[in-house]
Amino acid sequence: MSSFRVTERSIATNVLSGLQGNLSRLADIQQRLATGKQISKPADSPTGTVAAMQIRSDLSTTKQHSRNAADGAAWLGAADGALSSVNTQVQRVRELIIAGMSSARGGSTESREAFASEIDQLHASAIGVANTKYLDRPIFGGTTASPVAFDGTGTYQGDQGAVQRTVGDNTKVQVAIPGDAVFGTGPNQLFTVMADIADHMRTDPSALSDDLDRLGVATATMMSAQSTVGARYNQVTQMQQAADDKAMSLTAQLSE
């Protein structure tokens, strides 16, 4: 039989080793209490560290989607407001055409001149609204570097570039519609029609009936564009809510 000799030194060594282990564990607990973090360094939990890094990456992407959606909603909200304003002005032009047609059958030249002057003002005002900006960019100008979407005569100065925002995984939404798709092109372009109406009000009232039809075509184009803007606005606000909800869930996972 063999015997083992336990010396005072070995006992002291074992006790010291135990104390050091306890101190180390106590330091870890104090670190977690002080920082509120279960993992302070990769060595604390390699598996947990990998999971936390992935969650942080997903959370960062999700928050960016939410910001993109908020920006897109601002673009689309500005467009919707502008189109509502132009539509109000167009309805007034329609009323003036009808009044001018009645005046042509028995009214005075002075009254038609007054109607034409008001249409001129509405024409200039509508162009101003069509040049509405968001973040110093014309919202109906596409991706143009021009400071305006339309010049003073109503001629389109923008391009066909698409302004898009990524609002979810593999989900992009176009947040701006080029001005020629909103206000039309050619002889039925809204601003061309308005200018012709003012001219015909003064010089050829018999052409106002055709102008009324052309105004209807231009209005239909604009209203269709506004419907598209509304649908996209709903989409981006829904995606923003989804991103915010996902961010809350990921934050909870990261906390755990």
Side-chain angles (χ1 to χ4, degrees):
M1 295 182 60
S2 61
S3 60
F4 296 93
R5 182 181 179 186
V6 179
T7 66
E8 293 182 357
R9 182 173 181 178
S10 64
I11 294 174
T13 300
N14 290 335
V15 170
L16 182 60
S17 177
L19 288 173
Q20 288 176 337
N22 289 336
L23 288 173
S24 177
R25 287 189 291 273
L26 179 61
D28 288 340
I29 293 172
Q30 289 176 331
Q31 174 71 14
R32 293 172 185 174
L33 289 173
T35 63
K37 297 179 180 180
Q38 186 72 13
I39 304 172
S40 297
K41 55 185 182 296
D44 292 338
S45 174
T47 302
T49 298
V50 172
M53 291 176 64
Q54 183 60 55
I55 292 172
R56 286 194 181 95
S57 177
D58 292 345
L59 182 58
S60 176
T61 300
T62 300
K63 287 182 176 180
Q64 185 62 57
H65 289 162
S66 178
R67 290 191 293 270
N68 292 347
D71 181 67
W75 270 89
L76 293 164
D80 184 67
L83 292 175
S84 294
S85 178
V86 173
N87 186 53
T88 298
Q89 294 166 338
V90 168
Q91 295 309 313
R92 177 54 182 163
V93 172
R94 186 184 302 278
E95 294 171 359
L96 292 170
I97 293 174
I98 295 172
M101 292 169 64
S102 298
S103 179
R105 291 191 291 268
S108 64
T109 302
E110 289 77 10
S111 62
R112 292 199 303 275
E113 175 59 35
F115 297 152
S117 295
E118 184 175 350
I119 293 170
D120 285 337
Q121 294 172 3
L122 291 167
H123 178 245
S125 177
I127 292 174
V129 175
N131 283 323
T132 295
K133 293 182 178 181
Y134 174 70
L135 298 180
D136 206 34
R137 292 177 59 185
I139 59 176
F140 297 117
T143 56
T144 181
S146 173
V148 296
F150 296 88
D151 65 16
T153 67
T155 302
Y156 187 52
Q157 302 298 302
D159 57 28
Q160 302 302 309
V163 179
Q164 296 181 321
R165 293 293 179 267
T166 301
V167 297
D169 294 333
N170 302 315
T171 303
K172 292 184 178 182
V173 177
Q174 185 173 342
V175 299
I177 303 177
D180 54 358
V182 177
F183 301 106
T185 58
N188 289 327
Q189 195 247 32
L190 178 62
F191 306 124
T192 298
V193 174
M194 293 177 74
D196 289 347
I197 291 170
D199 180 56
H200 293 156
M201 187 73 74
R202 293 183 173 97
T203 62
D204 186 11
S206 63
L208 291 174
S209 179
D210 289 340
D211 290 339
L212 188 61
D213 293 337
R214 293 169 60 207
L215 186 64
V217 173
T219 302
T221 299
M222 184 175 64
M223 295 304 294
S224 176
Q226 188 168 18
S227 295
T228 299
V229 167
R232 290 176 182 172
Y233 180 86
N234 290 336
Q235 181 183 4
V236 297
T237 53
Q238 290 170 3
M239 293 300 294
Q240 182 182 10
Q241 184 61 56
D244 290 342
D245 291 344
K246 183 178 179 180
M248 291 180 62
S249 175
L250 289 171
T251 300
Q253 293 178 42
L254 186 61
S255 178
E256 291 174 3

